[in-house]
């Protein structure tokens, strides 16, 4: 930030744009329907104001909804088609560090210069026409409109759109004629908005189906699949079930995103890509699901290092001893994804214990768990690895559904957390950008973190398995006496007034004990993942 004439800090042009974007965040709860900017019917007015009707109709769109895996599916699909030689546009959410992550051109976040040009073009036109009847659009609606403007102006060959929430009333659903639609794995999430049953949730996701447009989905629970089939039948939509990718088709290479569940997403991405190629005249027929080989471009697209931060991502701390403090980041926030996250973490740390550690290179936040190198060829471990949980989730989610799944799945793999740390998010809900300052530690309401702690302590009382009793030294006892750092420390957990104070405690603990390595699973919230990445990049 520059200095103003009076000595005050002057925001940069980018920060000014983020402040304007922040003004569109008008409420804390997404379930609150009191804001007119969220009325779906208004989207057509916004599209007209921005003169986007014709440009949107000209875009060759792949539209993807789902509960789990839709971001990964979109990322794989973009990479495949980019490796096929097409100019790609990818719109995903949420961002973790910089809002420009949501808009990718040819696999790269949009430049600051282009973002500013398109941002103000849209913002100023909407502001000029704003009225009581047509207020400024809400935050996500504006971002979706901005994505359409960017992709149309940049003349992308294909636009891949990830639904933000639900489907039927999502801002991306102004698209009237996509080339193909996809529905990734369905589960329980955002129930305060989408409904309390899988059938209701599936009905909302199926809202992206368009008459006669092919739709593809992965194996779903019966209740969800029945609704998808019913909605498809009503609209004369050819609905195809896609099986997970056979790993043998990758010719010995590894998927660019970590986790066994990614083979489900990769299978859907292959089907979406080949259907898009066929329907746009670049392929005579889509590649059959049970093919014995994949085109080289598809294999490269699936196995290239793709950047999807916060999903099965392993990052060493950017501190004095990065190999001794390693963060395992996964933004799981539904019961099903929590199980997947726990499996990934358990298998990853077992790989780590078998003579592997992270390479201590300068921090690269796009790295994932195959970025490992050999250490200790004699097979002897130099330090005791201890598992720590760093957790927060939105208050609309039920920790009684999330935390037991996490604990039980880890325990089934012989993994037990020595301590769970509960923190508030660093980012504030009504500001976009790292220049916005959160409340100080003394101002933060920690009642939700205390509630999470109670759930965890109760779970631990009923699960005193052997692995949870192992001693890791007196370093944990010191936590109780540090009143400034930990607001409340129990036997198995602690509440911290801020994420920075929790990170500081982790770093200090490593410095105090030369025999410990911390493997910290960070999960429950993508916002928390973004906050951690910002802190450990410093």
């Amino acid at each position: 930030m520059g200095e103003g004439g009076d000595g005050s800090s002057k925001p940069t042009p980018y920060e000014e744009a983020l402040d304007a974007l922040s003004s569109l965040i008008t409420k804390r709860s997404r379930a609150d329907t009191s804001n007119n900017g969220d009325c779906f019917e208004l989207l057509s007015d916004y599209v007209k104001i921005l003169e986007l009707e014709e440009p949107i109709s000209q875009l060759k769109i792949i539209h993807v909804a789902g509960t789990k895996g839709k971001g990964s599916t979109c990322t794989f699909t973009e990479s495949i088609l980019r490796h096929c030689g097409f100019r790609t546009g990818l719109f995903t959410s949420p961002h973790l560090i910089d809002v420009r992550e949501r808009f990718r051109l040819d696999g790269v976040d949009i430049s600051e210069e282009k973002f500013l040009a398109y941002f103000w073009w849209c913002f100023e036109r909407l502001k000029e026409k704003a009225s009581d009847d047509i207020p400024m659009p809400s935050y996500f609606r504006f971002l979706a409109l901005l994505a359409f403007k960017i992709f149309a102006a940049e003349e992308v060959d294909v636009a891949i759109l990830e639904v933000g929430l639900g489907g039927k009333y999502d801002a991306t659903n102004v698209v009237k004629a996509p080339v193909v639609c996809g529905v990734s794995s369905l589960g329980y999430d955002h129930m305060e908005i989408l409904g309390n049953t899988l059938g209701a949730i599936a009905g909302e996701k199926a809202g992206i189906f368009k008459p006669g447009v092919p739709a593809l989905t992965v194996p779903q629970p019966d209740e969800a699949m029945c609704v998808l089939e019913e909605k498809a039948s009503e609209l004369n939509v050819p609905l195809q079930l896609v099986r997970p990718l056979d790993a043998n088709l990758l010719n010995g290479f590894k998927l660019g995103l970590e986790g066994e569940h990614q083979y489900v997403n990769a299978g859907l991405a292959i089907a979406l890509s080949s259907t898009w190629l066929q329907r746009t005249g670049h392929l005579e027929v889509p590649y059959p699901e049970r093919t014995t080989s994949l085109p080289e471009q598809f294999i490269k697209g699936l196995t290239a290092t793709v950047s999807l931060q916060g999903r099965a991502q392993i990052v060493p701390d950017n501190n004095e001893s990065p190999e001794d403090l390693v963060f395992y980041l996964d933004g799981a926030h539904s019961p099903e994804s929590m199980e997947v996250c726990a499996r990934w973490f358990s298998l990853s740390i077992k790989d780590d214990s078998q003579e592997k550690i992270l390479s201590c290179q300068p921090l690269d936040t796009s790295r994932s768990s195959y970025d490992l190198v050999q250490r200790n060829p004699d097979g002897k471990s130099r330090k005791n690895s201890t598992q720590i949980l760093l957790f927060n989730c939105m208050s609309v989610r039920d920790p009684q559904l999330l935390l037991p799944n996490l604990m039980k799945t880890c325990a089934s793999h012989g993994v037990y957390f020595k301590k769970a740390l509960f923190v508030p998010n660093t980012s504030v809900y009504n500001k976009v950008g790292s220049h916005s300052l959160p409340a100080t530690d003394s101002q933060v309401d920690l009642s939700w973190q205390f509630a999470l702690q109670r759930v965890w302590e109760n779970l631990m009382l009923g699960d005193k398995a052997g692995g949870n009793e192992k001693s890791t030294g007196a370093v944990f006892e010191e936590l109780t006496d540090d009143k400034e750092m930990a607001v409340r420390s129990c036997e198995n957990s602690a509440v911290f007034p801020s994420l920075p104070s929790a990170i500081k405690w982790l770093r200090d603990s490593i410095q105090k004990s030369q025999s410990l390595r911390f493997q910290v699973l960070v999960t429950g919230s993508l916002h928390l993942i973004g906050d951690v990445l910002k802190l450990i990049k410093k």
Side-chain angles (χ1 to χ4, degrees), residues 211-388:
V213 175
L216 309 168
T217 191
V218 299
Q220 307 283 7
D222 290 344
E223 181 182 355
M225 184 60 78
C226 286
V227 173
L228 293 181
E229 290 172 344
E230 179 183 328
K231 298 291 184 182
S233 177
E234 291 174 2
L235 295 172
N236 193 30
V237 168
L239 179 64
Q240 178 187 344
L241 179 63
V242 180
R243 298 295 174 184
L245 168 66
D246 181 349
N248 294 322
L249 297 180
L250 297 178
N251 295 342
F253 292 97
K254 198 171 184 180
L255 284 176
L257 294 175
E258 278 291 313
E260 289 299 312
H261 59 289
Q262 294 294 358
Y263 288 94
V264 174
N265 302 324
L268 181 55
I270 291 169
L272 288 168
S273 300
S274 62
T275 301
W276 184 90
L277 288 167
Q278 186 266 327
R279 297 200 77 218
T280 55
H282 297 95
L283 193 67
E284 288 190 11
V285 293
Y287 295 115
E289 184 184 352
R290 296 300 181 186
T291 183
T292 57
S293 63
L294 285 174
E296 181 182 359
Q297 299 96 321
F298 275 50
I299 294 176
K300 287 182 177 179
L302 290 167
T303 59
T305 301
V306 290
S307 177
L308 189 61
Q309 294 190 100
R311 279 83 162 181
Q313 181 184 6
I314 302 178
V315 181
D317 186 29
N318 194 23
N319 208 29
E320 294 180 13
S321 303
E323 75 275 13
D324 291 337
L325 179 54
V326 181
F327 294 91
Y328 295 73
L329 309 172
D330 193 90
H333 50 264
S334 70
E336 298 86 356
S337 60
M338 200 60 69
E339 289 184 25
V340 171
C341 167
R343 279 198 302 273
W344 162 73
F345 176 67
S346 300
L347 295 174
S348 294
I349 65 173
K350 286 190 176 182
D351 284 345
D352 191 11
S353 67
Q354 295 168 3
E355 306 175 38
K356 294 181 179 181
I357 66 164
L358 286 165
S359 174
C360 301
Q361 300 296 321
L363 179 64
D364 175 0
T365 56
S366 68
R367 296 172 56 162
S368 55
S369 61
Y370 53 78
D371 290 312
L372 303 170
V373 295
Q374 297 289 334
R375 183 176 79 163
N376 295 349
D378 58 2
K380 295 180 180 179
S381 175
R382 294 180 183 174
K383 299 195 176 185
N384 295 321
S385 293
T386 300
Q387 291 76 52
I388 307 289

Side-chain angles (χ1 to χ4, degrees), residues 72-268:
S72 299
T73 297
C74 288
T75 300
F76 278 135
T77 303
E78 184 279 329
S79 184
I80 289 171
L81 292 175
R82 174 161 41 88
H83 280 84
C84 287
F86 296 99
R87 178 158 172 73
T88 60
L90 174 64
F91 177 61
T92 60
S93 62
H95 67 273
L96 296 187
I97 297 177
D98 192 314
V99 71
R100 292 181 295 113
E101 297 167 25
R102 296 173 182 251
F103 315 93
R104 289 190 184 176
L105 296 168
D106 290 328
V108 179
D109 297 351
I110 189 171
S111 69
E112 192 172 300
E113 181 183 8
K114 285 186 175 181
F115 175 86
L116 287 174
Y118 293 128
F119 175 88
W120 288 117
W121 191 94
C122 293
F123 192 89
E124 289 172 353
R125 278 160 181 75
L126 290 166
K127 194 75 172 176
E128 181 183 349
K129 298 289 185 180
S131 65
D132 290 340
D133 293 330
I134 307 177
M136 285 293 285
S138 57
Y139 173 70
F140 182 79
R141 297 271 163 90
F142 178 85
L143 293 175
L145 293 163
L146 178 57
F148 288 122
K149 174 61 181 177
I150 291 170
F151 297 155
E154 292 292 322
E155 298 181 336
V156 299
D157 297 316
V158 55
I160 300 108
L161 307 179
E162 177 192 0
V163 166
L165 178 63
K168 184 177 181 180
Y169 298 112
D170 188 73
T172 60
N173 206 30
V174 297
V175 176
K176 295 180 180 178
V179 175
V180 60
C181 295
V183 178
S184 65
S185 299
L186 297 178
Y188 293 100
D189 197 18
H190 303 300
M191 292 180 288
E192 75 281 5
I193 301 171
L194 305 180
N196 293 314
T197 67
L198 279 179
I201 292 170
E204 290 294 320
K205 308 291 185 181
I208 69 169
F209 290 174
K210 301 298 185 300
V213 175
L216 309 168
T217 191
V218 299
Q220 307 283 7
D222 290 344
E223 181 182 355
M225 184 60 78
C226 286
V227 173
L228 293 181
E229 290 172 344
E230 179 183 328
K231 298 291 184 182
S233 177
E234 291 174 2
L235 295 172
N236 193 30
V237 168
L239 179 64
Q240 178 187 344
L241 179 63
V242 180
R243 298 295 174 184
L245 168 66
D246 181 349
N248 294 322
L249 297 180
L250 297 178
N251 295 342
F253 292 97
K254 198 171 184 180
L255 284 176
L257 294 175
E258 278 291 313
E260 289 299 312
H261 59 289
Q262 294 294 358
Y263 288 94
V264 174
N265 302 324
L268 181 55

